[in-house]
């Protein structure tokens, strides 16, 4: 199948009250793991590449691997730019065949975030590519800020209503208590805020920083309108743990395939588990 826009997958998720997993890829093994897991679960899936992933692997490699994997898959697969920050980068991704892009103007003042997102929506819409934007600042677990400082960065429901109306964006990433990376404690999600955003915004919501969020909290977020759940850190952990185990038990191993093969399998397992939690198994 050809790569499909994320908006198409999220529309179906909206109708079925589930969420589609969006998994970050940086290399061939993770691309293969994402599609293998989705096929094993009969699930639609989103493969996403950050600017860091594009810098590491090269945009041509990421796009070619995703196209090949999607072309062979029996389930729908999207290729999405994760946290794009410039108009130029978005256009490059579209030119290389990405079926969806995120424009993250969350560090900008509201009016500038709206202006940048509108510009991206205009171009992407013209070529059938869907757009995710971010309002509020999700940030990272490594950011040394207090809980109340983080709460000040949460998405404002009234601003979200204006933002969506002014930009025409397809989906919205919200800051409701999650952060990127490994949590030190257990994250507390602001469900009342999520519910309020949902009541004012009639498009699918996106949960970033979802690795390490308890399964029940993820399910509650999905019940409240989250339709795309982003996972990177849990894949990294499974991949590297597996590599470490192989190398510890056989320090003389010099065949990369003997190290990366089991890591790929470990990634498949963690992605399958997430897909089941998101309720997207057998929805392809
Ligand atoms: O949202 C962040 C993702 O985990 C991507 O991380 O920028 O290190 O590729 P990265
Ligand atoms: P985690 O690495 O915390 O799972 O976050 C992934 C993400 O939000 C990618 O945009
Ligand atoms: Zn993110």
């Amino acid at each position: 199948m050809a790569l499909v826009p994320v908006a198409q997958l999220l529309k179906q998720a909206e109708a079925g009250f589930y969420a589609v997993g969006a998994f970050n890829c940086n290399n061939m093994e993770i691309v293969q793991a994402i599609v293998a897991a989705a096929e094993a679960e009969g699930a639609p899936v989103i493969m996403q590449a950050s600017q860091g992933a594009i810098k590491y692997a090269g945009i041509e490699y990421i796009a070619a691997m995703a196209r090949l994997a999607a072309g062979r898959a029996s389930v729908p697969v999207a290729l999405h730019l994760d946290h794009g920050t410039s108009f130029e980068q978005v256009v490059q991704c579209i030119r290389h065949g990405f079926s969806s892009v995120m424009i993250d103007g969350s560090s900008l003042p509201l009016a500038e975030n709206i202006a940048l997102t509108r510009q991206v929506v205009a171009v992407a819409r013209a070529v059938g590519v869907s757009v995710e934007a971010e309002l509020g600042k999700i940030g990272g677990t490594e950011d040394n800020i207090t809980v109340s400082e983080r709460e000040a960065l949460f998405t404002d429901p009234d601003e979200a209503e204006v933002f969506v109306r002014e930009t025409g964006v397809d989906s919205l990433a919200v800051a409701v208590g999650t952060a990127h990376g490994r949590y030190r404690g257990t994250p507390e999600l602001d469900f009342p805020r999520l519910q309020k955003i949902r009541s004012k915004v009639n498009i699918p919501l996106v949960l970033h920083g979802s690795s390490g969020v308890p399964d029940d909290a993820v399910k509650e977020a999905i019940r409240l309108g989250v339709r795309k759940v982003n996972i990177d850190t849990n894949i990294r952990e499974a991949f590297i743990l597996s590599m470490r185990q192989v190398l510890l038990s056989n320090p003389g191993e010099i065949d990369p395939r003997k190290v990366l093969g089991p890591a790929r399998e470990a990634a498949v397992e963690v992605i399958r588990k997430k897909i089941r939690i998101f309720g997207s198994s057998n929805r392809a």
Side-chain angles (χ1 to χ4, degrees):
M1 256 188 254
L3 291 164
V4 297
V6 166
Q8 185 183 315
L9 300 182
L10 301 192
K11 206 170 172 185
Q12 284 156 4
E14 190 75 52
F17 303 103
Y18 61 91
V20 182
F23 303 101
N24 285 72
C25 62
N26 290 279
N27 60 14
M28 181 191 77
E29 284 76 11
I30 295 178
V31 167
Q32 290 174 330
I34 294 167
V35 174
E39 293 233 63
E41 291 296 326
V45 78
I46 299 161
M47 197 179 302
Q48 56 188 14
S50 67
Q51 301 192 54
I54 289 171
K55 195 165 167 210
Y56 171 76
I59 194 166
E60 294 89 352
Y61 276 86
I62 294 275
M65 288 190 294
R67 244 195 322 271
L68 181 64
R72 291 176 161 197
S74 58
V75 295
V77 180
L79 176 62
H80 178 74
L81 168 65
D82 187 33
H83 294 284
T85 50
S86 79
F87 181 74
E88 290 72 18
Q89 175 121 52
V90 161
V91 171
Q92 281 163 13
C93 286
I94 293 174
R95 173 152 164 66
H96 282 90
F98 281 53
S99 58
S100 181
V101 292
M102 174 182 189
I103 182 70
D104 178 357
S106 63
S107 63
L108 302 170
L110 179 64
E112 287 176 40
N113 189 357
I114 289 176
L116 177 62
T117 304
R118 273 175 84 114
Q119 196 185 15
V120 167
V121 168
V123 166
R125 186 130 311 146
V127 288
V129 165
S130 57
V131 182
E132 172 183 337
E134 178 172 325
L135 186 66
K137 293 190 183 69
I138 296 160
T141 49
E142 72 286 356
D143 299 347
N144 272 325
I145 57 173
T146 63
V147 172
S148 58
E149 281 166 342
R150 190 178 293 286
E151 277 175 15
L153 306 175
F154 282 6
T155 308
D156 179 272
D158 294 318
E159 275 188 13
E161 184 179 16
V162 173
F163 185 87
V164 169
R165 192 177 55 233
E166 295 285 313
T167 59
V169 75
D170 297 294
S171 59
L172 185 68
V174 290
V176 291
T178 60
H180 295 105
R182 279 182 129 161
Y183 291 98
R184 279 182 283 256
T186 305
E188 295 272 342
L189 270 61
D190 187 343
F191 293 118
R193 180 182 298 267
L194 185 58
Q195 194 158 24
K196 195 140 190 227
I197 297 168
R198 180 64 185 165
S199 72
K200 294 186 173 259
V201 160
N202 197 21
I203 58 169
L205 303 178
V206 182
L207 196 66
H208 281 244
S210 308
S211 296
V213 176
D215 296 349
D216 285 347
V218 171
K219 286 181 186 166
E220 180 62 5
I222 293 171
R223 197 182 68 77
L224 295 173
V226 163
R227 299 287 168 242
K228 173 174 178 276
V229 181
N230 287 10
I231 298 283
D232 186 2
T233 299
N234 284 156
I235 302 174
R236 295 179 180 198
E237 288 168 340
F239 200 85
I240 297 297
L241 178 67
S242 167
M243 289 178 69
R244 194 173 284 131
Q245 281 168 345
V246 170
L247 290 170
L248 276 174
S249 60
N250 188 0
E253 183 57 69
I254 59 147
D255 185 343
R257 297 166 297 190
K258 299 270 169 52
V259 184
L260 294 170
R264 178 171 58 192
E265 284 310 308
V268 171
E269 285 317 305
V270 73
I271 295 166
R272 287 190 67 173
K273 269 190 207 139
K274 295 293 175 186
I275 287 174
R276 290 198 285 268
I277 292 162
F278 305 160
S280 53
S281 295
N282 303 315
R283 303 283 193 163

